[in-house]
Amino acid sequence: MVSSFSKLAVAALTSVLSYPSSTQVHRSVLQRRNLNPYQRSLVRCFCVRKAATFDNTGARPSFGKKSVSSSVTRSQQKFSTSPSESHSAVRWRSKSQQSRAQQTLAKLFTASKLGLDPSLNRFHAPLVYHDGYSCAWPETHTFPMQKFERTSHALLTTTSKTVATSNLPRPLVRSEEDYFRPPDFSNIPIEEWLDLLNREIEAASEENDSQAKEYSSFARRFLRRQLTREEIIGFREETYRPELVERTVLEVAGTVLTAQLALKYGIAANLAGGTHHAHPAGGAGYTILNDLAITSNLLTMALSRGNHKSDVEPKANAIQMEEKYSYRNVERILVIDCDVHQGDGTAQYSTLWQDDGRLFTLSIHCESNYPFQKHNSTYDVGLPDHCNDQNYLIALEESMNRALREVRPDLVLYDAGVDVYKHDKLGRLDLTEDGIRRRDRWVLDRCVSLGIPVAAVVGGGYDKDIDALGRRHAIIHEECAFIW
């Protein structure tokens, strides 16, 4: 990796490491050194060693001193020792499983269409999009299927001249060719991914494998459009559409690719994703396959070292993967879920795998909203109805600082749901668009300042005005560009 640095990058790194861990200082040094975005991302990744002490006070610019009334729980286990010691008992996996995961990740990356070269891109972070994210859909359906296409449209067209609230002199994305694009449906190894996930569910449920069998049956029957009427969840009769099957798989592939790009460049975002209600036994709500769980399983299986019975060849393979794609060791992943609804499905995966210590969940949601039967996340923050910008941001800062300090993740998956918006059809909170922007900037800034790669997904958002919803979802990508 050091060979990728120019003399300017090395000089900037030296300057950064001489300062306390402060994003403002980092940014001023990096800009003054006139580095390209790729070099800046490499410098930031090295800053994690400087910030590895994780300041126990969580000292960062505060949103206020008032505390918010919310239920913050540690529901899985308490850390009596350091997180690295508490979560070192990773379950052994076979050499063949790691090799399969590595090969499928490599194939996905190779088969994907590369976007604008990050080393030349001074405008935005790597963005992942496929025009198959949106498909033909009934206009009267509650789920706004066209929002993904309208989010892309917003990124390609929004300027201060076209939208009164924008201050962009030019569109953030100049061409659809600038997007990274996952392979088409027929080239995505979804069956392989589901088999690897199912094996992990089986291994974690040694005394009762009915959950694994149920999930395996549900996922494969969904792909073959054979679900029963009792299983078709929120999409109802639309579940049988072949277009829905394809876009669901594309969405999962997009999140996997986004995580790969985040590990390589420090930050990346998917224009879809965040299917956090799907659980180890099936789908729920408007989510069928949990892209966050599938991504976490693939990356920790392929890139975690020292968790195999045969530690010679797998370790070498992991090192080769790291050198080829600039990946790092990935053992602990933290999902920061800011959707208005609790990420109950992802929470069930983190509970299932808690002995492995590889998936942790922080869910900041409206306590009275769906799902009405909550599941234990690693950290749950249940907010009251009509929570405003200030109280939300206080709760976010407190809970996220704690999670980052205790988990010390190798990667953050960030669900940037905009259904926290005060006029969202399915939300019960009172955040403004400015509050959403401040939320996204703070999450991204905090991760990058600590050298933690962060991959963002759009999460939920519901509005009859689909263009307004697309612009709202574009906020996370604009904030990725600001941090980039």
Side-chain angles (χ1 to χ4, degrees):
M1 181 178 288
V2 175
S3 61
S4 300
F5 282 99
S6 66
K7 293 181 179 179
L8 283 175
V10 174
L13 176 61
T14 303
S15 299
V16 169
L17 296 181
S18 67
Y19 285 97
S21 180
S22 165
T23 304
Q24 286 73 22
V25 172
H26 290 174
R27 185 175 294 123
S28 65
V29 171
L30 294 171
Q31 289 176 344
R32 187 170 64 248
R33 293 289 181 177
N34 194 31
L35 305 179
N36 65 41
Y38 176 61
Q39 292 169 332
R40 291 203 302 271
S41 70
L42 292 176
V43 173
R44 289 194 188 101
C45 287
F46 271 92
C47 290
V48 69
R49 301 310 170 207
K50 175 68 176 178
T53 55
F54 281 75
D55 181 7
N56 289 330
T57 64
R60 299 286 292 156
S62 176
F63 293 110
K65 296 183 179 180
K66 179 181 177 182
S67 62
V68 62
S69 175
S70 62
S71 57
V72 182
T73 64
R74 293 301 313 285
S75 54
Q76 291 190 4
Q77 52 186 303
K78 295 183 182 297
F79 294 114
S80 58
T81 58
S82 70
S84 58
E85 294 172 353
S86 298
H87 296 287
S88 59
V90 181
R91 185 179 57 77
W92 278 358
R93 299 183 184 85
S94 68
K95 179 176 67 175
S96 63
Q97 282 181 277
Q98 186 191 36
S99 177
R100 287 174 63 192
Q102 290 175 347
Q103 289 174 10
T104 192
L105 283 175
K107 288 179 181 178
L108 176 74
F109 199 88
T110 302
S112 298
K113 173 191 167 297
L114 301 184
L116 185 59
D117 185 350
S119 66
L120 304 175
N121 186 354
R122 294 182 176 272
F123 303 107
H124 57 79
L127 301 178
V128 176
Y129 176 69
H130 193 290
D131 52 16
Y133 283 172
S134 292
C135 62
W137 200 248
E139 293 183 2
T140 56
H141 200 285
T142 305
F143 186 80
M145 184 62 74
Q146 301 308 315
K147 71 176 186 176
F148 309 105
E149 185 276 329
R150 301 319 291 172
T151 301
S152 174
H153 177 77
L155 294 171
L156 288 163
T157 62
T158 298
T159 67
S160 57
K161 295 180 180 179
T162 60
V163 178
T165 57
S166 175
N167 59 2
L168 293 173
R170 52 168 292 279
L172 186 66
V173 181
R174 293 187 173 185
S175 166
E176 288 190 4
E177 297 300 312
D178 293 347
Y179 291 127
F180 286 78
R181 174 187 168 112
D184 292 334
F185 171 73
S186 60
N187 295 321
I188 297 171
I190 188 64
E191 296 275 2
E192 182 86 357
W193 295 351
L194 292 176
D195 183 64
L196 289 169
L197 181 65
N198 191 56
R199 288 174 180 270
E200 291 301 292
I201 296 174
E202 287 179 350
S205 309
E206 293 177 351
E207 297 182 0
N208 181 9
D209 64 353
S210 62
Q211 191 176 49
K213 292 179 180 177
E214 188 175 351
Y215 174 80
S216 177
S217 175
F218 175 88
R220 283 172 170 76
R221 281 186 293 110
F222 163 70
L223 294 176
R224 293 164 177 76
R225 309 194 334 260
Q226 296 173 347
L227 293 180
T228 66
R229 289 193 175 275
E230 291 74 24
E231 295 175 312
I232 58 179
I233 58 177
F235 291 122
R236 301 188 293 279
E237 64 276 3
E238 307 304 328
T239 309
Y240 300 112
R241 284 175 173 263
E243 305 98 314
L244 179 64
V245 174
E246 292 188 12
R247 64 96 29 213
T248 299
V249 173
L250 286 170
E251 186 172 43
V252 173
T255 298
V256 175
L257 177 59
T258 301
Q260 290 177 292
L261 291 167
L263 289 169
K264 185 175 178 66
Y265 299 112
I267 185 170
N270 188 10
L271 272 67
T275 50
H276 60 172
H277 296 308
H279 50 83
Y286 294 126
T287 66
I288 299 172
L289 304 177
N290 192 315
D291 62 322
L292 302 170
I294 292 174
T295 299
S296 299
N297 184 59
L298 284 172
L299 291 177
T300 54
M301 185 180 292
L303 302 175
S304 178
R305 301 180 190 171
N307 60 340
H308 305 272
K309 293 181 181 179
S310 176
D311 195 39
V312 180
E313 191 172 339
K315 184 174 181 180
N317 289 341
I319 294 174
Q320 290 171 5
M321 286 281 288
E322 181 174 340
E323 291 176 347
K324 186 173 183 180
Y325 298 110
S326 298
Y327 292 161
R328 61 175 66 191
N329 185 32
V330 179
E331 293 184 351
R332 294 185 298 276
I333 293 178
L334 173 64
V335 174
I336 298 177
D337 193 332
C338 289
D339 193 279
V340 77
H341 307 106
Q342 190 208 34
D344 58 320
T346 317
Q348 290 179 64
Y349 277 103
S350 67
T351 300
L352 189 67
W353 295 334
Q354 64 180 345
D355 291 339
D356 280 13
R358 58 192 178 114
L359 177 62
F360 305 85
T361 52
L362 163 61
S363 180
I364 305 174
H365 53 268
C366 178
E367 184 66 24
S368 69
N369 212 325
Y370 177 90
F372 304 111
Q373 180 180 353
K374 303 293 191 291
H375 288 268
N376 289 335
S377 307
T378 316
Y379 307 85
D380 277 307
V381 182
L383 299 171
D385 288 13
H386 306 297
C387 179
N388 60 20
D389 290 350
Q390 182 183 21
N391 287 340
Y392 185 98
L393 294 170
I394 292 171
L396 170 67
E397 181 179 349
E398 292 175 350
S399 58
M400 185 172 158
N401 274 332
R402 180 181 183 182
L404 291 175
R405 184 173 63 248
E406 294 179 344
V407 174
R408 298 176 184 260
D410 300 307
L411 171 69
V412 163
L413 301 179
Y414 174 44
D415 187 332
V418 298
D419 43 11
V420 294
Y421 180 57
K422 61 182 179 181
H423 297 309
D424 189 272
K425 285 175 60 179
L426 302 184
R428 298 179 182 176
L429 301 183
D430 285 349
L431 269 69
T432 64
E433 290 188 351
D434 179 66
I436 293 173
R437 188 175 296 280
R438 292 167 63 196
R439 175 200 71 177
D440 292 348
R441 183 173 298 186
W442 197 86
V443 171
L444 298 170
D445 181 77
R446 184 63 170 145
C447 291
V448 168
S449 70
L450 293 174
I452 303 170
V454 55
V457 295
V458 300
Y462 307 87
D463 197 320
K464 290 183 178 179
D465 187 341
I466 203 72
D467 288 314
L469 179 58
R471 289 194 295 272
R472 207 169 297 135
H473 275 303
I475 290 174
I476 179 61
H477 308 295
E478 293 170 357
E479 292 309 308
C480 283
F482 177 84
I483 300 299
W484 179 256

